[in-house]
Amino acid sequence: MLTDYHIHLRPDDLDATAAERFTSANVERYREAAEERGIAELGVSEHIHRFQQALEVWQHPFWRAYAVDDLDDYCRFVREETDLRLGIEADFVPGAEDRMANLLDARDFDYVVGSVHFLRDASVDMEDYTVWSGAHSPEDVWQRYFQTLGEAARSGLFDILAHPDLVKVWGIERPRPEGDLRRYYELAMDGIAESGIAVEVSTAGLRKGAQELYPAPAFLEMCLEAGAPVALSSDAHRPEDIGADYDAALELLQSLGVGELCVFERRARRLEPIGAGVR
Ligand SMILES: [Zn+2]
Ligand SMILES: [Zn+2]
């Protein structure tokens, strides 16, 4: 069985409204694309910052600008008008763990995708609020990113750790630290091992400056040694990207001996063989 759990029903701009995109007709376009690619298990994980309730957790100016929609309307739509698994992509906000837990526990999600998009108030992957413009060296940004990623795993708030080495998103535009990067990956490993969180293999990095899968093979190898199961996703923001580049992801998984993927239901996890659905 193939999964795509980290998908968005709309692009990230504010013009893509809930009224227009949270519709059965739009979901049907995603379903059709998934069927064509042999993906049976499809779940949606909209960004938490698109919902008003996110401001109960964090008051970042970026979130204030984007928190337009009602989270419970979204949950109701997915449950009642679609056959998609109900997920959400939630940020790790250090110091706001209790508030985030309250928001997440009050809804019947099938799974929660946990992301590190920010280091304190600075963004890892957006030009606005970017962490890269200040006096921070790549070494400093990478160290803080992977420490925070480990804390996100350890928080217990999330079922899946999203795009685990997102810090490389810009590719050659923002230089990486020199040498063997495992010294950075290591900073997240205790949190990943102790939490038992699933690690996402995401093809989105291939569509960004990074031009690579998330995570790098060496990172994934360390996660597997730490006992982490794998969740497979495209992070599609449009139907065309559902299951994009899955052949590359499946090749990596096969090379590392991964034969099973995580499937989630009401925040319970089981493993299913990748099996004959591969194409
Ligand atoms: Zn993300
Ligand atoms: Zn996403």
Side-chain angles (χ1 to χ4, degrees):
M1 171 186 282
L2 293 180
T3 64
D4 201 343
Y5 276 146
H6 185 160
I7 70 170
H8 302 269
L9 292 175
R10 54 184 173 178
D12 283 336
D13 53 284
L14 274 173
D15 294 345
T17 63
E20 189 183 273
R21 308 292 176 134
F22 297 171
T23 65
S24 307
N26 190 37
V27 168
E28 194 47 42
R29 295 162 63 217
Y30 283 74
R31 260 289 170 214
E32 279 170 18
E35 251 165 57
E36 270 172 33
R37 289 162 197 180
I39 299 163
E41 187 59 20
L42 207 57
V44 64
S45 56
E46 291 300 316
H47 285 292
I48 198 166
H49 66 254
R50 303 293 295 262
F51 302 105
Q52 294 152 10
Q53 287 89 340
L55 301 181
E56 297 162 11
V57 177
W58 201 29
Q59 285 280 336
H60 191 286
F62 173 69
W63 283 30
R64 282 206 300 270
Y66 278 78
V68 172
D69 302 319
D70 183 77
L71 179 57
D72 295 304
D73 285 350
Y74 160 69
C75 294
R76 229 181 339 264
F77 164 70
V78 175
R79 281 279 180 237
E80 292 174 13
E81 295 181 46
T82 82
D83 60 354
L84 304 177
R85 296 275 183 220
L86 173 59
I88 189 159
E89 179 174 9
D91 288 66
F92 176 58
V93 184
E97 289 88 343
D98 288 351
R99 297 198 295 277
M100 184 63 86
N102 288 341
L103 182 154
L104 296 173
D105 293 348
R107 278 104 193 160
D108 68 339
F109 294 112
D110 288 313
Y111 57 89
V112 177
V113 177
S115 298
V116 174
H117 298 117
F118 287 90
L119 301 176
R120 297 183 194 260
D121 289 338
S123 167
V124 173
D125 64 335
M126 291 190 301
E127 291 285 7
D128 292 346
Y129 314 103
T130 184
V131 71
W132 297 98
S133 66
H136 303 294
S137 65
E139 289 75 16
D140 179 44
V141 173
W142 277 58
Q143 179 174 346
R144 286 172 54 213
Y145 174 81
F146 284 100
Q147 275 169 351
T148 308
L149 189 72
E151 287 167 31
R154 202 192 297 272
S155 73
L157 289 165
F158 313 119
D159 303 295
I160 300 170
L161 200 55
H163 37 59
D165 56 353
L166 178 71
V167 70
K168 73 184 180 189
V169 61
W170 296 102
I172 53 171
E173 282 180 51
R174 320 273 191 202
R176 300 177 183 201
E178 302 277 329
D180 189 338
L181 297 171
R182 282 179 290 192
R183 67 192 188 280
Y184 296 98
Y185 307 154
E186 191 58 53
L187 300 170
M189 276 315 138
D190 283 351
I192 289 170
E194 286 163 26
S195 63
I197 195 168
V199 168
E200 181 178 81
V201 170
S202 167
T203 60
L206 290 166
R207 305 192 298 277
K208 301 287 173 97
Q211 304 271 304
E212 291 176 14
L213 292 167
Y214 301 121
F219 185 107
L220 183 59
E221 213 169 353
M222 289 167 76
C223 293
L224 296 172
E225 276 165 25
V230 170
L232 176 62
S233 292
S234 67
D235 206 349
H237 287 62
R238 47 183 202 159
E240 302 91 285
D241 289 333
I242 291 289
D245 297 308
Y246 266 24
D247 46 352
L250 292 168
E251 196 176 309
L252 173 64
L253 292 174
Q254 196 175 25
S255 75
L256 295 176
V258 178
E260 294 176 313
L261 295 174
C262 292
V263 172
F264 293 91
E265 197 172 350
R266 310 271 167 167
R267 306 204 66 179
R269 177 175 84 201
R270 65 176 198 277
L271 290 168
E272 291 276 348
I274 294 176
V278 181
R279 46 169 99 168

Coordinates of all heavy atoms in Angstrom, one line a residue, residues 6-8 12 45-47 89 113 115 117 162-163 200 204 234-237, ligand 2:
H6 N 0.8 13.8 3.7 CA 1.1 15.3 3.9 C 0.7 16.0 2.6 O 1.5 16.2 1.8 CB 2.6 15.4 4.2 CG 3.0 16.8 4.6 ND1 4.2 17.1 5.3 CD2 2.4 18.0 4.3 CE1 4.3 18.4 5.4 NE2 3.2 18.9 4.8
I7 N -0.6 16.3 2.5 CA -1.0 17.1 1.4 C -1.9 18.2 1.8 O -2.4 18.2 2.9 CB -1.8 16.2 0.4 CG1 -3.2 15.8 0.9 CG2 -1.0 15.0 -0.1 CD1 -4.1 15.2 -0.2
H8 N -1.9 19.2 1.0 CA -2.7 20.5 1.2 C -3.6 20.6 0.1 O -3.3 20.4 -1.0 CB -1.7 21.7 1.3 CG -0.6 21.5 2.4 ND1 -0.8 22.0 3.6 CD2 0.6 21.0 2.3 CE1 0.3 21.7 4.3 NE2 1.2 21.1 3.6
D12 N -0.2 27.9 -0.7 CA 0.0 28.6 0.5 C -0.4 30.1 0.6 O -0.4 30.7 1.6 CB 1.5 28.6 0.9 CG 1.9 27.2 1.5 OD1 1.0 26.5 2.0 OD2 3.1 26.8 1.4
S45 N -3.5 17.4 5.4 CA -2.9 18.0 6.6 C -2.7 19.5 6.3 O -1.6 19.9 5.9 CB -1.6 17.3 6.9 OG -0.7 17.3 5.8
E46 N -3.7 20.3 6.4 CA -3.6 21.7 6.2 C -2.7 22.3 7.3 O -2.7 21.9 8.4 CB -5.0 22.3 6.2 CG -5.9 21.9 5.1 CD -5.3 22.3 3.7 OE1 -4.8 23.4 3.6 OE2 -5.4 21.5 2.8
H47 N -2.1 23.5 6.9 CA -1.3 24.2 7.9 C -2.1 24.8 9.0 O -3.1 25.4 8.7 CB -0.6 25.4 7.2 CG 0.5 25.0 6.3 ND1 1.7 24.5 6.8 CD2 0.7 25.1 4.9 CE1 2.5 24.3 5.8 NE2 1.9 24.6 4.6
E89 N -1.0 19.8 9.7 CA 0.4 20.1 9.9 C 0.6 21.2 10.9 O 0.2 22.3 10.7 CB 1.0 20.5 8.5 CG 2.5 20.8 8.7 CD 3.2 21.2 7.3 OE1 2.5 21.3 6.3 OE2 4.5 21.2 7.4
V113 N 0.9 15.9 11.8 CA 2.3 16.1 11.1 C 3.0 17.2 11.9 O 2.4 18.3 11.9 CB 2.1 16.4 9.6 CG1 3.5 16.6 9.0 CG2 1.4 15.3 8.9
S115 N 6.0 19.9 12.4 CA 7.0 20.6 11.6 C 7.8 21.6 12.4 O 7.3 22.3 13.3 CB 6.3 21.4 10.4 OG 5.6 20.5 9.6
H117 N 9.3 24.9 11.2 CA 9.4 25.9 10.2 C 10.1 27.1 10.7 O 10.5 28.0 10.0 CB 8.1 26.3 9.6 CG 7.3 25.3 8.9 ND1 6.1 24.9 9.4 CD2 7.5 24.5 7.8 CE1 5.6 23.9 8.6 NE2 6.4 23.7 7.6
A162 N 7.7 15.9 10.1 CA 7.7 16.3 8.7 C 9.0 16.7 8.1 O 9.9 17.2 8.9 CB 6.7 17.5 8.5
H163 N 9.2 16.6 6.8 CA 10.4 17.1 6.1 C 11.6 17.3 7.0 O 12.0 18.4 7.3 CB 10.1 18.3 5.3 CG 9.2 19.3 5.9 ND1 9.4 19.9 7.1 CD2 8.0 19.9 5.5 CE1 8.4 20.8 7.4 NE2 7.5 20.7 6.5
E200 N 9.0 11.2 8.4 CA 8.5 11.4 7.0 C 9.6 11.3 6.0 O 10.6 11.9 6.1 CB 7.8 12.8 6.9 CG 7.2 13.0 5.6 CD 6.5 14.4 5.5 OE1 7.2 15.4 5.4 OE2 5.2 14.4 5.7
A204 N 9.0 16.5 -1.4 CA 8.9 17.9 -1.7 C 10.2 18.6 -1.9 O 10.3 19.5 -2.7 CB 8.2 18.6 -0.5
S234 N 4.1 13.5 -0.2 CA 4.6 14.4 -1.3 C 4.6 15.8 -0.8 O 5.2 16.6 -1.5 CB 3.7 14.2 -2.5 OG 2.4 14.7 -2.2
D235 N 3.8 16.2 0.2 CA 3.6 17.6 0.6 C 3.0 18.4 -0.6 O 3.4 19.5 -0.8 CB 4.9 18.2 1.1 CG 4.7 19.4 2.0 OD1 3.5 19.9 2.1 OD2 5.6 19.8 2.7
A236 N 2.2 17.7 -1.4 CA 1.5 18.4 -2.5 C 0.6 19.5 -2.1 O -0.1 19.4 -1.1 CB 0.7 17.3 -3.3
H237 N 0.7 20.6 -2.8 CA -0.2 21.7 -2.6 C -1.2 21.9 -3.8 O -1.9 22.8 -3.9 CB 0.5 23.0 -2.4 CG 1.2 23.1 -1.0 ND1 2.2 22.3 -0.6 CD2 1.0 24.0 0.0 CE1 2.6 22.6 0.6 NE2 1.9 23.7 1.0
Ligands
ZN2 ZN 3.1 20.9 4.2

